[in-house]
Amino acid sequence: MFLGANNLIFGNAKQLRDNLTHTELILWGYLSGGQLGAKFRRQHPINDYIADFYCHAHKLIVEIDGSIHLEPDVLANDAVRQNFLESKGIKVIRFTNYEVLNQIENVLNTIKENIGLPFRGRGGLAKRIIPCLDVKDGRTVKGVNFVDLRDAGDPVELAWQYSQQGADELVFLDITATHERRKTMVELVKAVARNINIPFTIGGGINEISDADALLNAGADKISINSAAVRNPALIDELANAFGVQFVVVAVDTRHNEGKNIVHLNGGRIPTEKETFDWILEAESRGAGEILLTSMDHDGTKAGFDCSFLKTINNAVHVPVIASGGAGNVQHFVDVFEQANVDAALAASVFHYGEILIPDLKNVLKDKGIEVRISPPAP
């Protein structure tokens, strides 16, 4: 997560990374290599400043404050930044140089405690609206039931627009990556990540830890796996162990077939023998931090979400469920939140072509008593 950090911030971060202070070097000796059970980055650019240490999986910043942070203006600036970060769901814990030098055990125990505590920030219980950027050949596209794809625009431009409109997150899927055995385009992810200030999930062609690590370093906040997880369920365990469950979204494409909901692979092209309900329970048990459930029968039809099945799944699991497939109007979002009580709703074409504007959608949801995050107007 970079939250819109610009090239200057990235350049400064690189310089600082090679010139750590004495106390930063001491703490990095304990944080590096996942020694505390979580992966940290040093000198990580976020928005307009550089965090000393950042754990992506747990959305945790660790800062070491020198004596300058006792100055009133610096203290005030620290408070403003911390409020901003917490509004984005990122927790900040601070230590002094003295604490790192003389009370390192206490410092490490505090970090461990915060790794174990989920932090959602302000508005953590709000329902989320998530545009989906389906990408083919570097362009955002959307069709009916994953066929007859149409060009819906530049993904970088769309991502920026959605971040300005008040989208809560983005999902960026290279929908041809698995089908054509292509790796996700890391450079495109970097471009999108540098232009938005909201969380960002990336999927497509992720088959091993190194794929996920590359995407995380490119700027993704979470990764989404689908076909690869069905073919190799242990991949979920591996990713959850390597990065934390908050990092792992398991996407499931389902179709109704002979009275059963069946998992499909490769963008809904290939049926499996797995029943969707059983597979989702297994995915959760292996370490899925979220479930992105797409009804392929509803996808692209604009006839509404599959609220009944979504409710069944949402009642059965203990992780957030993202509803996908079928959004055609504002009432469909009201229905899926009221009837299925899912945590988030995802759509593509209705957002891409301006059929539903996110600020208008959120105002209707709010009027219906559904809690959502309302963003201030973009400058």
Side-chain angles (χ1 to χ4, degrees), residues 109-313:
N109 285 334
T110 300
I111 294 172
K112 289 177 184 177
E113 290 170 3
N114 280 276
I115 288 173
L117 294 172
F119 181 76
R120 303 187 72 178
R122 293 180 293 180
L125 297 177
K127 302 299 186 183
R128 291 172 287 149
I129 301 299
I130 306 177
C132 180
L133 300 161
D134 290 344
V135 171
K136 180 180 165 83
D137 299 326
R139 300 288 290 178
T140 305
V141 291
K142 184 61 185 179
V144 177
N145 294 337
F146 284 81
V147 297
D148 299 328
L149 297 174
R150 296 184 295 169
D151 185 344
D154 172 20
V156 178
E157 172 64 21
L158 279 172
W160 182 84
Q161 289 181 8
Y162 288 137
S163 69
Q164 297 298 300
Q165 287 180 23
D168 297 292
E169 298 183 18
L170 291 176
V171 170
F172 174 58
L173 298 175
D174 188 342
I175 61 174
T176 60
T178 306
H179 178 56
E180 297 178 5
R181 300 297 187 267
R182 290 192 289 108
K183 296 294 183 183
T184 306
M185 295 175 287
V186 170
E187 290 305 314
L188 180 57
V189 178
K190 289 180 180 178
V192 173
R194 291 190 182 192
N195 282 274
I196 65 173
N197 59 0
I198 56 176
F200 185 94
T201 298
I202 174 70
I206 299 170
N207 297 299
E208 55 192 31
I209 287 179
S210 61
D211 297 329
D213 193 50
L215 294 167
L216 172 61
N217 286 317
D221 294 282
K222 292 177 279 190
I223 55 92
S224 173
I225 52 174
N226 190 331
S227 300
V230 176
R231 295 190 175 102
N232 176 24
L235 179 62
I236 303 174
D237 303 78
E238 294 169 5
L239 291 170
N241 290 334
F243 304 109
V245 296
Q246 292 170 300
F247 182 78
V248 182
V249 179
V250 173
V252 180
D253 295 336
T254 184
R255 287 188 188 274
H256 202 66
N257 186 11
E258 298 181 356
K260 298 179 180 179
N261 278 285
I262 302 298
V263 176
H264 282 61
L265 304 182
N266 294 62
R269 298 178 182 89
I270 303 174
T272 71
E273 296 181 356
K274 290 182 180 288
E275 290 196 34
T276 304
F277 184 88
D278 295 338
W279 168 236
I280 288 176
L281 291 185
E282 179 182 350
E284 180 189 23
S285 70
R286 288 180 175 275
E290 276 186 296
I291 301 296
L292 169 54
L293 180 58
T294 301
S295 168
M296 300 306 299
D297 299 312
H298 289 240
D299 189 75
T301 65
K302 298 186 180 180
F305 296 96
D306 188 350
C307 294
S308 177
F309 189 54
L310 284 161
K311 180 178 180 180
T312 298
I313 295 299

Side-chain angles (χ1 to χ4, degrees), residues 7-127:
N7 289 334
L8 177 61
I9 298 294
F10 274 86
N12 291 340
K14 185 177 185 305
Q15 291 181 3
L16 290 172
R17 209 170 290 135
D18 297 329
N19 295 279
L20 297 184
T21 67
H22 178 58
T23 49
E24 287 171 347
L25 280 170
I26 290 175
L27 187 54
W28 181 240
Y30 293 97
L31 297 181
S32 62
Q35 297 177 68
L36 299 187
K39 180 179 179 180
F40 280 86
R41 304 175 187 175
R42 58 184 181 178
Q43 305 302 327
H44 182 76
I46 294 185
N47 195 248
D48 63 351
Y49 90 111
I50 299 163
D52 289 341
F53 304 101
Y54 176 59
C55 175
H56 175 83
H58 297 279
K59 298 292 188 292
L60 176 67
I61 287 175
V62 178
E63 291 285 348
I64 301 177
D65 292 342
S67 58
I68 191 173
H69 288 268
L70 297 175
E71 298 292 333
D73 57 335
V74 178
L75 275 172
N77 193 43
D78 287 343
V80 169
R81 283 176 171 168
Q82 185 150 335
N83 287 336
F84 168 76
L85 291 166
E86 290 185 353
S87 75
K88 301 299 181 182
I90 300 173
K91 188 163 190 176
V92 182
I93 55 176
R94 317 186 80 93
F95 303 101
T96 64
N97 286 326
Y98 178 86
E99 288 174 310
V100 174
L101 292 170
N102 298 282
Q103 301 172 2
I104 190 63
E105 289 299 324
N106 291 339
V107 168
L108 297 178
N109 285 334
T110 300
I111 294 172
K112 289 177 184 177
E113 290 170 3
N114 280 276
I115 288 173
L117 294 172
F119 181 76
R120 303 187 72 178
R122 293 180 293 180
L125 297 177
K127 302 299 186 183

